[in-house]
Each structure stands twice: as structure tokens, then as C-alpha cells.
């Protein structure tokens, strides 16, 4: 097996197979966000693909032709990766882009632009479990080890890659929440009421869809539909990056799976760290 390598930039680790320091510096300091850009910001394993699918469908009034014919990474490129940036620079506006980056590495040009940001958060215990399983299949990160070991790494900000600590990520992005061009939502809300969420996202984007078009977004962004869509279900992830026999991007798609994995002691430990790190955050989340 090839040796796993990684590099650290501003305290966050990245994979040289996807990222480069040059691209991260360019992105932060020189990349110009345009007023009609839409950027989906998601900590890994919190619904990145789901939100990209929803936004792709909204863009095309619920018509699934685009999501069924163009791979997700080309519809909503991750601009922190080298190939994602190439795609973003060639993307005919209005652009749709994705990122896992914390706010402190995000393009500075955001502060002077009307680009719309949609931030999706997920219960960190489910993020942990999803990351653990995905990490077992990823060849470009060190093996997560046991769940006990990975729990420690996750809580210390060493989960998968490109995003740092879950706590810092959420807290950093929440500082933007009073801006008119920032929309915060959660994986759990999408799950409880996808139709309602699609309506709220459309209002934020200033996009009007009729009832049938919204129905089509909801139907085509369902877990089952996405699982069967090879443009969206992770089938494109190269064998050099992921061992597809060891894990799936579209794993379970449920909330609360952490209850099947964390022991009582691990859960209490998680809660203790959570309380400490989220102290002072004046916001109630669906998992609180
Ligand atoms: P699980 O591993 O818990 O199943 P990301 O896209 O950020 O990598 O997140 C992947 C997680 O989102 C996986 O969680 C995956 O199953 C879930 N997911 C993807 N599409 C979904 C959908 N349409 N509905 C519900 N969950 C979805």
C-alpha cells in the first residue's frame, strides 16, 4: 500500500493528492468571489453532496437532467482542491461551488461581495461516525484506527482533512450569520422537512419555483435517488483515493446513527468536550 502523505497549512492538514499550498494561498488572498456566486460550505460528512444536489436541482427548476448527466464535482466544484479551482475558474457564471474550508481560510474577497453562502451543519456525533466509516475506505488519509482512537482525533480537530476542528468550523462560520448573504441550515432540518428547507433556500436565493418544481427537487434529492445516481453517489471517486469495497459515500443517510456506535462513557465524554468548546455560542441546534 502506498504511503499516506499530508501537509499542514495554517494548522489544518490537507492531502497533496487534492490540495496544494499555492492554491490555498491563491484562494484565500486572490480568488475573487462574484456577486452571483453561490457557495455551499459544509464540514466533511455533514451533507456536502446532498446540498450540492439540492442546489443543482433548484438551479434547473427541479429538472434532473443536469444531475443525471454531469458529475457533482463539476456542477459544484470544491475550490480548495487544485482540480476544483481549475473548474471554478472556467465555470460560466453564475457559479455554484462547494468547500469544506473554515472561515479563516475562505476567500477574503467574500467580505466585499454579495456572493451567497449556504452553511450546512450536522450533529457532530453523526459527523464523527460518518467520518469514521468513510475514513476506513479512504486511502489518502491515515487509517482512523479504532472508534475510540478516532473519537480523540476528531475532538482534537484531526478528523478527515481540509477543515480542522468541527467546533472551530461551526463557530467561525456562525460569526457570519447576521449577514444578508449568509444562510445557516442543518442536515437534521433537511431530513425532517426537505420540502420546507428547499422553500427556505429558494427564498434566500431569490429563486421562485412552483409547487411541482419543488416536488421534483425533493424527489430527486432523496437518499434513494442520490444513491442510484452515479454522478452523485461517489462512484467517480478514483480507486487510488478510495477503496470502494470498504465503504460508501451514501452509507445510511440517517440522523442519530451515533447511538449505534458510541458507548455511554464515550457519549458522556463527547458531551463534556462539546459543552466546553461551544460555551458562549448563543444558538440552539436540532441536536441540543
Ligand atoms: P452517513 O455516512 O451518515 O450515511 P458528505 O457529502 O458531506 O460527505 O456527507 C456524507 C453523508 O451525507 C453520509 O452520511 C451520506 O449518507 C449522507 N447523505 C448524502 N446524501 C444524502 C441524502 N440525500 N439524504 C440523507 N443523507 C445523505
Amino acid at each position: 500500500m502506498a504511503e499516506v502523505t499530508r501537509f499542514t497549512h495554517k494548522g489544518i492538514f490537507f492531502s497533496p493528492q487534492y490540495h496544494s499550498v499555492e492554491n490555498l494561498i491563491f484562494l484565500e488572498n486572490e480568488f475573487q468571489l462574484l456577486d452571483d456566486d453561490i457557495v455551499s460550505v459544509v464540514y466533511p460528512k455533514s451533507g456536502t453532496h446532498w446540498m450540492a444536489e439540492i442546489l443543482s436541482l433548484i438551479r434547473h427548476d427541479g429538472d434532473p437532467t443536469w444531475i443525471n448527466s454531469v458529475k457533482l464535482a463539476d456542477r459544484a466544484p470544491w475550490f480548495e482542491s487544485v482540480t476544483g479551482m481549475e473548474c471554478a475558474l472556467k465555470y460560466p457564471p453564475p457559479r455554484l461551488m462547494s468547500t469544506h474550508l473554515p472561515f479563516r481560510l475562505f476567500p477574503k474577497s467574500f467580505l466585499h461581495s454579495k456572493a451567497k453562502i449556504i452553511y450546512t451543519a450536522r450533529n457532530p456525533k453523526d459527523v464523527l461516525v460518518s467520518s469514521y466509516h468513510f475514513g476506513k475506505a479512504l486511502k489518502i488519509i491515515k487509517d482512523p484506527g479504532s472508534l475510540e482512537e478516532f473519537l480523540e482525533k476528531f475532538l482534537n480537530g484531526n478528523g478527515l482533512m481540509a477543515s480542522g476542528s468541527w467546533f472551530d468550523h461551526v463557530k467561525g462560520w456562525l460569526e457570519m450569520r447576521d449577514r444578508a448573504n449568509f444562510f445557516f441550515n442543518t442536515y437534521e432540518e433537511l431530513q425532517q422537512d426537505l420540502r420546507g428547507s428547499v422553500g427556505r433556500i429558494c427564498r434566500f436565493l431569490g429563486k421562485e419555483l412552483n409547487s411541482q418544481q419543488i416536488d421534483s427537487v425533493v424527489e430527486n434529492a432523496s437518499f434513494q435517488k442520490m444513491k442510484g445516481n452515479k454522478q452523485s453517489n461517489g462512484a467517480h471517486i478514483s480507486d487510488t483515493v478510495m477503496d470502494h469495497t470498504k465503504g460508501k459515500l451514501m452509507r445510511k443517510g440517517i440522523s442519530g446513527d451515533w447511538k449505534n456506535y458510541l458507548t455511554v462513557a464515550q457519549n458522556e465524554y463527547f458531551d463534556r468536550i462539546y459543552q466546553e468548546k461551544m460555551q458562549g455560542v448563543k444558538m440552539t441546534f436540532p441536536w441540543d
Side-chain angles (χ1 to χ4, degrees), residues 129-162:
V129 168
S130 182
S131 304
Y132 175 71
H133 285 98
F134 198 62
K136 285 278 174 197
L138 275 185
K139 294 179 178 171
I140 56 168
I141 60 157
K142 290 201 180 107
D143 183 85
S146 66
L147 183 61
E148 179 82 14
E149 287 162 344
F150 189 65
L151 170 71
E152 205 55 50
K153 287 187 196 163
F154 182 84
L155 292 174
N156 284 325
N158 294 312
L160 291 182
M161 61 176 162

PDB file of all heavy atoms in Angstrom, residues 129-162:
ATOM      1  N   VAL A 129     -19.226   9.568  13.318  1.00  0.00           N
ATOM      2  CA  VAL A 129     -19.480   8.183  12.880  1.00  0.00           C
ATOM      3  C   VAL A 129     -19.367   8.071  11.356  1.00  0.00           C
ATOM      4  O   VAL A 129     -18.749   7.137  10.824  1.00  0.00           O
ATOM      5  CB  VAL A 129     -20.869   7.707  13.385  1.00  0.00           C
ATOM      6  CG1 VAL A 129     -21.285   6.408  12.712  1.00  0.00           C
ATOM      7  CG2 VAL A 129     -20.836   7.538  14.900  1.00  0.00           C
ATOM      8  N   SER A 130     -19.922   9.043  10.648  1.00  0.00           N
ATOM      9  CA  SER A 130     -19.835   9.030   9.192  1.00  0.00           C
ATOM     10  C   SER A 130     -18.370   9.161   8.746  1.00  0.00           C
ATOM     11  O   SER A 130     -17.909   8.439   7.858  1.00  0.00           O
ATOM     12  CB  SER A 130     -20.685  10.171   8.628  1.00  0.00           C
ATOM     13  OG  SER A 130     -20.665  10.157   7.240  1.00  0.00           O
ATOM     14  N   SER A 131     -17.628  10.052   9.396  1.00  0.00           N
ATOM     15  CA  SER A 131     -16.203  10.258   9.047  1.00  0.00           C
ATOM     16  C   SER A 131     -15.396   8.988   9.320  1.00  0.00           C
ATOM     17  O   SER A 131     -14.497   8.629   8.562  1.00  0.00           O
ATOM     18  CB  SER A 131     -15.573  11.377   9.882  1.00  0.00           C
ATOM     19  OG  SER A 131     -16.275  12.565   9.761  1.00  0.00           O
ATOM     20  N   TYR A 132     -15.726   8.342  10.428  1.00  0.00           N
ATOM     21  CA  TYR A 132     -15.005   7.125  10.802  1.00  0.00           C
ATOM     22  C   TYR A 132     -15.157   6.062   9.692  1.00  0.00           C
ATOM     23  O   TYR A 132     -14.168   5.483   9.233  1.00  0.00           O
ATOM     24  CB  TYR A 132     -15.547   6.611  12.135  1.00  0.00           C
ATOM     25  CG  TYR A 132     -14.950   5.301  12.563  1.00  0.00           C
ATOM     26  CD1 TYR A 132     -13.629   5.238  12.987  1.00  0.00           C
ATOM     27  CD2 TYR A 132     -15.703   4.127  12.522  1.00  0.00           C
ATOM     28  CE1 TYR A 132     -13.068   4.035  13.356  1.00  0.00           C
ATOM     29  CE2 TYR A 132     -15.142   2.922  12.904  1.00  0.00           C
ATOM     30  CZ  TYR A 132     -13.823   2.875  13.311  1.00  0.00           C
ATOM     31  OH  TYR A 132     -13.262   1.689  13.677  1.00  0.00           O
ATOM     32  N   HIS A 133     -16.384   5.859   9.257  1.00  0.00           N
ATOM     33  CA  HIS A 133     -16.619   4.845   8.212  1.00  0.00           C
ATOM     34  C   HIS A 133     -15.989   5.251   6.882  1.00  0.00           C
ATOM     35  O   HIS A 133     -15.385   4.436   6.204  1.00  0.00           O
ATOM     36  CB  HIS A 133     -18.125   4.603   8.039  1.00  0.00           C
ATOM     37  CG  HIS A 133     -18.694   3.801   9.150  1.00  0.00           C
ATOM     38  ND1 HIS A 133     -19.353   4.364  10.211  1.00  0.00           N
ATOM     39  CD2 HIS A 133     -18.664   2.476   9.399  1.00  0.00           C
ATOM     40  CE1 HIS A 133     -19.716   3.429  11.054  1.00  0.00           C
ATOM     41  NE2 HIS A 133     -19.304   2.266  10.588  1.00  0.00           N
ATOM     42  N   PHE A 134     -16.144   6.529   6.535  1.00  0.00           N
ATOM     43  CA  PHE A 134     -15.581   6.982   5.265  1.00  0.00           C
ATOM     44  C   PHE A 134     -14.052   6.908   5.333  1.00  0.00           C
ATOM     45  O   PHE A 134     -13.391   6.488   4.382  1.00  0.00           O
ATOM     46  CB  PHE A 134     -16.054   8.406   4.990  1.00  0.00           C
ATOM     47  CG  PHE A 134     -15.915   8.819   3.564  1.00  0.00           C
ATOM     48  CD1 PHE A 134     -16.603   8.154   2.563  1.00  0.00           C
ATOM     49  CD2 PHE A 134     -15.102   9.890   3.205  1.00  0.00           C
ATOM     50  CE1 PHE A 134     -16.481   8.535   1.223  1.00  0.00           C
ATOM     51  CE2 PHE A 134     -14.978  10.276   1.880  1.00  0.00           C
ATOM     52  CZ  PHE A 134     -15.663   9.604   0.898  1.00  0.00           C
ATOM     53  N   GLY A 135     -13.527   7.278   6.490  1.00  0.00           N
ATOM     54  CA  GLY A 135     -12.073   7.247   6.689  1.00  0.00           C
ATOM     55  C   GLY A 135     -11.487   5.849   6.525  1.00  0.00           C
ATOM     56  O   GLY A 135     -10.352   5.681   6.080  1.00  0.00           O
ATOM     57  N   LYS A 136     -12.275   4.840   6.863  1.00  0.00           N
ATOM     58  CA  LYS A 136     -11.800   3.454   6.730  1.00  0.00           C
ATOM     59  C   LYS A 136     -11.603   3.091   5.253  1.00  0.00           C
ATOM     60  O   LYS A 136     -10.804   2.218   4.915  1.00  0.00           O
ATOM     61  CB  LYS A 136     -12.821   2.489   7.344  1.00  0.00           C
ATOM     62  CG  LYS A 136     -12.807   2.482   8.858  1.00  0.00           C
ATOM     63  CD  LYS A 136     -11.684   1.574   9.368  1.00  0.00           C
ATOM     64  CE  LYS A 136     -11.535   1.634  10.861  1.00  0.00           C
ATOM     65  NZ  LYS A 136     -10.241   1.113  11.337  1.00  0.00           N
ATOM     66  N   ALA A 137     -12.396   3.756   4.387  1.00  0.00           N
ATOM     67  CA  ALA A 137     -12.301   3.438   2.957  1.00  0.00           C
ATOM     68  C   ALA A 137     -11.329   4.361   2.212  1.00  0.00           C
ATOM     69  O   ALA A 137     -10.843   4.015   1.132  1.00  0.00           O
ATOM     70  CB  ALA A 137     -13.682   3.530   2.325  1.00  0.00           C
ATOM     71  N   LEU A 138     -11.051   5.527   2.807  1.00  0.00           N
ATOM     72  CA  LEU A 138     -10.172   6.480   2.119  1.00  0.00           C
ATOM     73  C   LEU A 138      -8.722   6.016   2.176  1.00  0.00           C
ATOM     74  O   LEU A 138      -8.209   5.707   3.249  1.00  0.00           O
ATOM     75  CB  LEU A 138     -10.272   7.864   2.775  1.00  0.00           C
ATOM     76  CG  LEU A 138     -11.388   8.800   2.335  1.00  0.00           C
ATOM     77  CD1 LEU A 138     -11.219  10.151   3.033  1.00  0.00           C
ATOM     78  CD2 LEU A 138     -11.406   9.003   0.825  1.00  0.00           C
ATOM     79  N   LYS A 139      -8.073   6.022   1.017  1.00  0.00           N
ATOM     80  CA  LYS A 139      -6.672   5.592   1.002  1.00  0.00           C
ATOM     81  C   LYS A 139      -5.717   6.759   1.229  1.00  0.00           C
ATOM     82  O   LYS A 139      -4.521   6.557   1.411  1.00  0.00           O
ATOM     83  CB  LYS A 139      -6.351   4.965  -0.360  1.00  0.00           C
ATOM     84  CG  LYS A 139      -7.108   3.673  -0.641  1.00  0.00           C
ATOM     85  CD  LYS A 139      -6.725   3.180  -2.029  1.00  0.00           C
ATOM     86  CE  LYS A 139      -7.386   1.878  -2.382  1.00  0.00           C
ATOM     87  NZ  LYS A 139      -7.182   1.529  -3.807  1.00  0.00           N
ATOM     88  N   ILE A 140      -6.245   7.979   1.163  1.00  0.00           N
ATOM     89  CA  ILE A 140      -5.341   9.142   1.229  1.00  0.00           C
ATOM     90  C   ILE A 140      -5.229   9.739   2.625  1.00  0.00           C
ATOM     91  O   ILE A 140      -4.621  10.794   2.804  1.00  0.00           O
ATOM     92  CB  ILE A 140      -5.769  10.238   0.226  1.00  0.00           C
ATOM     93  CG1 ILE A 140      -7.226  10.643   0.494  1.00  0.00           C
ATOM     94  CG2 ILE A 140      -5.570   9.784  -1.200  1.00  0.00           C
ATOM     95  CD1 ILE A 140      -7.632  11.901  -0.242  1.00  0.00           C
ATOM     96  N   ILE A 141      -5.864   9.093   3.604  1.00  0.00           N
ATOM     97  CA  ILE A 141      -5.628   9.537   4.989  1.00  0.00           C
ATOM     98  C   ILE A 141      -5.152   8.321   5.792  1.00  0.00           C
ATOM     99  O   ILE A 141      -5.365   7.176   5.387  1.00  0.00           O
ATOM    100  CB  ILE A 141      -6.896  10.124   5.659  1.00  0.00           C
ATOM    101  CG1 ILE A 141      -8.032   9.091   5.716  1.00  0.00           C
ATOM    102  CG2 ILE A 141      -7.351  11.394   4.987  1.00  0.00           C
ATOM    103  CD1 ILE A 141      -9.030   9.387   6.801  1.00  0.00           C
ATOM    104  N   LYS A 142      -4.554   8.609   6.918  1.00  0.00           N
ATOM    105  CA  LYS A 142      -4.098   7.504   7.779  1.00  0.00           C
ATOM    106  C   LYS A 142      -5.325   6.754   8.281  1.00  0.00           C
ATOM    107  O   LYS A 142      -6.380   7.362   8.508  1.00  0.00           O
ATOM    108  CB  LYS A 142      -3.327   8.065   8.964  1.00  0.00           C
ATOM    109  CG  LYS A 142      -2.002   8.644   8.557  1.00  0.00           C
ATOM    110  CD  LYS A 142      -1.038   8.706   9.771  1.00  0.00           C
ATOM    111  CE  LYS A 142       0.286   9.283   9.353  1.00  0.00           C
ATOM    112  NZ  LYS A 142       0.542  10.626   9.806  1.00  0.00           N
ATOM    113  N   ASP A 143      -5.205   5.457   8.473  1.00  0.00           N
ATOM    114  CA  ASP A 143      -6.337   4.667   8.956  1.00  0.00           C
ATOM    115  C   ASP A 143      -6.859   5.269  10.264  1.00  0.00           C
ATOM    116  O   ASP A 143      -6.071   5.584  11.161  1.00  0.00           O
ATOM    117  CB  ASP A 143      -5.884   3.217   9.180  1.00  0.00           C
ATOM    118  CG  ASP A 143      -7.051   2.360   9.609  1.00  0.00           C
ATOM    119  OD1 ASP A 143      -7.775   1.883   8.722  1.00  0.00           O
ATOM    120  OD2 ASP A 143      -7.270   2.198  10.838  1.00  0.00           O
ATOM    121  N   PRO A 144      -8.183   5.458  10.376  1.00  0.00           N
ATOM    122  CA  PRO A 144      -8.718   6.075  11.607  1.00  0.00           C
ATOM    123  C   PRO A 144      -8.463   5.249  12.869  1.00  0.00           C
ATOM    124  O   PRO A 144      -8.646   5.763  13.974  1.00  0.00           O
ATOM    125  CB  PRO A 144     -10.230   6.149  11.340  1.00  0.00           C
ATOM    126  CG  PRO A 144     -10.415   5.915   9.888  1.00  0.00           C
ATOM    127  CD  PRO A 144      -9.228   5.165   9.402  1.00  0.00           C
ATOM    128  N   GLY A 145      -8.071   3.986  12.722  1.00  0.00           N
ATOM    129  CA  GLY A 145      -7.843   3.140  13.912  1.00  0.00           C
ATOM    130  C   GLY A 145      -9.171   2.694  14.490  1.00  0.00           C
ATOM    131  O   GLY A 145     -10.152   2.517  13.759  1.00  0.00           O
ATOM    132  N   SER A 146      -9.219   2.561  15.823  1.00  0.00           N
ATOM    133  CA  SER A 146     -10.484   2.151  16.451  1.00  0.00           C
ATOM    134  C   SER A 146     -11.368   3.393  16.574  1.00  0.00           C
ATOM    135  O   SER A 146     -10.883   4.527  16.481  1.00  0.00           O
ATOM    136  CB  SER A 146     -10.210   1.580  17.836  1.00  0.00           C
ATOM    137  OG  SER A 146      -9.712   2.613  18.669  1.00  0.00           O
ATOM    138  N   LEU A 147     -12.648   3.178  16.844  1.00  0.00           N
ATOM    139  CA  LEU A 147     -13.544   4.335  17.022  1.00  0.00           C
ATOM    140  C   LEU A 147     -13.074   5.182  18.205  1.00  0.00           C
ATOM    141  O   LEU A 147     -13.109   6.410  18.165  1.00  0.00           O
ATOM    142  CB  LEU A 147     -14.995   3.868  17.209  1.00  0.00           C
ATOM    143  CG  LEU A 147     -16.013   5.009  17.318  1.00  0.00           C
ATOM    144  CD1 LEU A 147     -16.045   5.864  16.061  1.00  0.00           C
ATOM    145  CD2 LEU A 147     -17.406   4.476  17.611  1.00  0.00           C
ATOM    146  N   GLU A 148     -12.598   4.499  19.242  1.00  0.00           N
ATOM    147  CA  GLU A 148     -12.087   5.197  20.444  1.00  0.00           C
ATOM    148  C   GLU A 148     -10.935   6.147  20.051  1.00  0.00           C
ATOM    149  O   GLU A 148     -10.889   7.299  20.457  1.00  0.00           O
ATOM    150  CB  GLU A 148     -11.602   4.127  21.437  1.00  0.00           C
ATOM    151  CG  GLU A 148     -11.019   4.655  22.723  1.00  0.00           C
ATOM    152  CD  GLU A 148     -12.079   5.018  23.750  1.00  0.00           C
ATOM    153  OE1 GLU A 148     -13.248   4.615  23.584  1.00  0.00           O
ATOM    154  OE2 GLU A 148     -11.723   5.729  24.706  1.00  0.00           O
ATOM    155  N   GLU A 149     -10.029   5.615  19.225  1.00  0.00           N
ATOM    156  CA  GLU A 149      -8.887   6.442  18.792  1.00  0.00           C
ATOM    157  C   GLU A 149      -9.349   7.595  17.904  1.00  0.00           C
ATOM    158  O   GLU A 149      -8.895   8.735  18.034  1.00  0.00           O
ATOM    159  CB  GLU A 149      -7.870   5.583  18.022  1.00  0.00           C
ATOM    160  CG  GLU A 149      -7.082   4.648  18.912  1.00  0.00           C
ATOM    161  CD  GLU A 149      -6.401   3.515  18.135  1.00  0.00           C
ATOM    162  OE1 GLU A 149      -6.749   3.234  16.968  1.00  0.00           O
ATOM    163  OE2 GLU A 149      -5.524   2.868  18.735  1.00  0.00           O
ATOM    164  N   PHE A 150     -10.281   7.279  17.016  1.00  0.00           N
ATOM    165  CA  PHE A 150     -10.730   8.318  16.086  1.00  0.00           C
ATOM    166  C   PHE A 150     -11.536   9.401  16.809  1.00  0.00           C
ATOM    167  O   PHE A 150     -11.472  10.575  16.446  1.00  0.00           O
ATOM    168  CB  PHE A 150     -11.561   7.711  14.942  1.00  0.00           C
ATOM    169  CG  PHE A 150     -11.864   8.699  13.848  1.00  0.00           C
ATOM    170  CD1 PHE A 150     -10.854   9.235  13.065  1.00  0.00           C
ATOM    171  CD2 PHE A 150     -13.164   9.130  13.619  1.00  0.00           C
ATOM    172  CE1 PHE A 150     -11.132  10.183  12.075  1.00  0.00           C
ATOM    173  CE2 PHE A 150     -13.447  10.074  12.639  1.00  0.00           C
ATOM    174  CZ  PHE A 150     -12.437  10.591  11.861  1.00  0.00           C
ATOM    175  N   LEU A 151     -12.268   8.996  17.836  1.00  0.00           N
ATOM    176  CA  LEU A 151     -13.035   9.961  18.640  1.00  0.00           C
ATOM    177  C   LEU A 151     -12.090  11.042  19.183  1.00  0.00           C
ATOM    178  O   LEU A 151     -12.368  12.241  19.117  1.00  0.00           O
ATOM    179  CB  LEU A 151     -13.726   9.213  19.787  1.00  0.00           C
ATOM    180  CG  LEU A 151     -14.388  10.023  20.888  1.00  0.00           C
ATOM    181  CD1 LEU A 151     -15.640  10.714  20.378  1.00  0.00           C
ATOM    182  CD2 LEU A 151     -14.759   9.135  22.066  1.00  0.00           C
ATOM    183  N   GLU A 152     -10.964  10.592  19.692  1.00  0.00           N
ATOM    184  CA  GLU A 152      -9.975  11.531  20.241  1.00  0.00           C
ATOM    185  C   GLU A 152      -9.448  12.464  19.153  1.00  0.00           C
ATOM    186  O   GLU A 152      -9.366  13.677  19.342  1.00  0.00           O
ATOM    187  CB  GLU A 152      -8.837  10.702  20.853  1.00  0.00           C
ATOM    188  CG  GLU A 152      -8.069  11.388  21.945  1.00  0.00           C
ATOM    189  CD  GLU A 152      -8.955  11.882  23.088  1.00  0.00           C
ATOM    190  OE1 GLU A 152      -9.790  11.118  23.619  1.00  0.00           O
ATOM    191  OE2 GLU A 152      -8.798  13.072  23.406  1.00  0.00           O
ATOM    192  N   LYS A 153      -9.135  11.869  17.986  1.00  0.00           N
ATOM    193  CA  LYS A 153      -8.615  12.695  16.876  1.00  0.00           C
ATOM    194  C   LYS A 153      -9.661  13.716  16.464  1.00  0.00           C
ATOM    195  O   LYS A 153      -9.363  14.885  16.242  1.00  0.00           O
ATOM    196  CB  LYS A 153      -8.308  11.807  15.652  1.00  0.00           C
ATOM    197  CG  LYS A 153      -7.083  10.939  15.797  1.00  0.00           C
ATOM    198  CD  LYS A 153      -6.816  10.256  14.451  1.00  0.00           C
ATOM    199  CE  LYS A 153      -5.867   9.096  14.622  1.00  0.00           C
ATOM    200  NZ  LYS A 153      -5.864   8.168  13.510  1.00  0.00           N
ATOM    201  N   PHE A 154     -10.893  13.268  16.336  1.00  0.00           N
ATOM    202  CA  PHE A 154     -11.972  14.150  15.897  1.00  0.00           C
ATOM    203  C   PHE A 154     -12.149  15.317  16.868  1.00  0.00           C
ATOM    204  O   PHE A 154     -12.236  16.468  16.462  1.00  0.00           O
ATOM    205  CB  PHE A 154     -13.270  13.330  15.782  1.00  0.00           C
ATOM    206  CG  PHE A 154     -14.451  14.126  15.284  1.00  0.00           C
ATOM    207  CD1 PHE A 154     -14.657  14.304  13.929  1.00  0.00           C
ATOM    208  CD2 PHE A 154     -15.354  14.696  16.172  1.00  0.00           C
ATOM    209  CE1 PHE A 154     -15.749  15.049  13.458  1.00  0.00           C
ATOM    210  CE2 PHE A 154     -16.438  15.434  15.717  1.00  0.00           C
ATOM    211  CZ  PHE A 154     -16.637  15.611  14.355  1.00  0.00           C
ATOM    212  N   LEU A 155     -12.179  14.991  18.151  1.00  0.00           N
ATOM    213  CA  LEU A 155     -12.392  16.048  19.152  1.00  0.00           C
ATOM    214  C   LEU A 155     -11.211  17.020  19.210  1.00  0.00           C
ATOM    215  O   LEU A 155     -11.352  18.168  19.591  1.00  0.00           O
ATOM    216  CB  LEU A 155     -12.661  15.436  20.533  1.00  0.00           C
ATOM    217  CG  LEU A 155     -14.005  14.694  20.651  1.00  0.00           C
ATOM    218  CD1 LEU A 155     -14.111  13.990  22.002  1.00  0.00           C
ATOM    219  CD2 LEU A 155     -15.190  15.638  20.465  1.00  0.00           C
ATOM    220  N   ASN A 156     -10.038  16.530  18.781  1.00  0.00           N
ATOM    221  CA  ASN A 156      -8.850  17.397  18.757  1.00  0.00           C
ATOM    222  C   ASN A 156      -8.688  18.134  17.427  1.00  0.00           C
ATOM    223  O   ASN A 156      -7.656  18.760  17.180  1.00  0.00           O
ATOM    224  CB  ASN A 156      -7.589  16.567  18.989  1.00  0.00           C
ATOM    225  CG  ASN A 156      -7.462  16.184  20.444  1.00  0.00           C
ATOM    226  OD1 ASN A 156      -7.838  16.952  21.319  1.00  0.00           O
ATOM    227  ND2 ASN A 156      -6.952  14.989  20.707  1.00  0.00           N
ATOM    228  N   GLY A 157      -9.661  17.997  16.555  1.00  0.00           N
ATOM    229  CA  GLY A 157      -9.583  18.723  15.276  1.00  0.00           C
ATOM    230  C   GLY A 157      -8.804  17.998  14.203  1.00  0.00           C
ATOM    231  O   GLY A 157      -8.387  18.603  13.215  1.00  0.00           O
ATOM    232  N   ASN A 158      -8.620  16.682  14.374  1.00  0.00           N
ATOM    233  CA  ASN A 158      -7.890  15.909  13.366  1.00  0.00           C
ATOM    234  C   ASN A 158      -8.783  14.835  12.760  1.00  0.00           C
ATOM    235  O   ASN A 158      -8.466  13.667  12.767  1.00  0.00           O
ATOM    236  CB  ASN A 158      -6.657  15.242  13.988  1.00  0.00           C
ATOM    237  CG  ASN A 158      -5.649  16.268  14.428  1.00  0.00           C
ATOM    238  OD1 ASN A 158      -5.321  17.166  13.662  1.00  0.00           O
ATOM    239  ND2 ASN A 158      -5.197  16.169  15.659  1.00  0.00           N
ATOM    240  N   GLY A 159      -9.913  15.257  12.241  1.00  0.00           N
ATOM    241  CA  GLY A 159     -10.857  14.318  11.616  1.00  0.00           C
ATOM    242  C   GLY A 159     -10.366  13.892  10.251  1.00  0.00           C
ATOM    243  O   GLY A 159      -9.286  13.329  10.128  1.00  0.00           O
ATOM    244  N   LEU A 160     -11.114  14.183   9.189  1.00  0.00           N
ATOM    245  CA  LEU A 160     -10.684  13.726   7.859  1.00  0.00           C
ATOM    246  C   LEU A 160      -9.617  14.657   7.286  1.00  0.00           C
ATOM    247  O   LEU A 160      -8.445  14.389   7.406  1.00  0.00           O
ATOM    248  CB  LEU A 160     -11.896  13.590   6.931  1.00  0.00           C
ATOM    249  CG  LEU A 160     -12.847  12.443   7.315  1.00  0.00           C
ATOM    250  CD1 LEU A 160     -14.002  12.334   6.329  1.00  0.00           C
ATOM    251  CD2 LEU A 160     -12.135  11.100   7.420  1.00  0.00           C
ATOM    252  N   MET A 161      -9.990  15.768   6.672  1.00  0.00           N
ATOM    253  CA  MET A 161      -8.983  16.720   6.178  1.00  0.00           C
ATOM    254  C   MET A 161      -9.643  18.011   5.725  1.00  0.00           C
ATOM    255  O   MET A 161     -10.863  18.092   5.606  1.00  0.00           O
ATOM    256  CB  MET A 161      -8.188  16.125   5.014  1.00  0.00           C
ATOM    257  CG  MET A 161      -9.042  15.777   3.824  1.00  0.00           C
ATOM    258  SD  MET A 161      -8.005  15.191   2.467  1.00  0.00           S
ATOM    259  CE  MET A 161      -9.227  14.378   1.467  1.00  0.00           C
ATOM    260  N   ALA A 162      -8.840  19.008   5.487  1.00  0.00           N
ATOM    261  CA  ALA A 162      -9.240  20.277   4.848  1.00  0.00           C
ATOM    262  C   ALA A 162     -10.212  21.127   5.662  1.00  0.00           C
ATOM    263  O   ALA A 162     -10.781  22.074   5.142  1.00  0.00           O
ATOM    264  CB  ALA A 162      -9.850  20.014   3.464  1.00  0.00           C
TER     265      ALA A 162
END
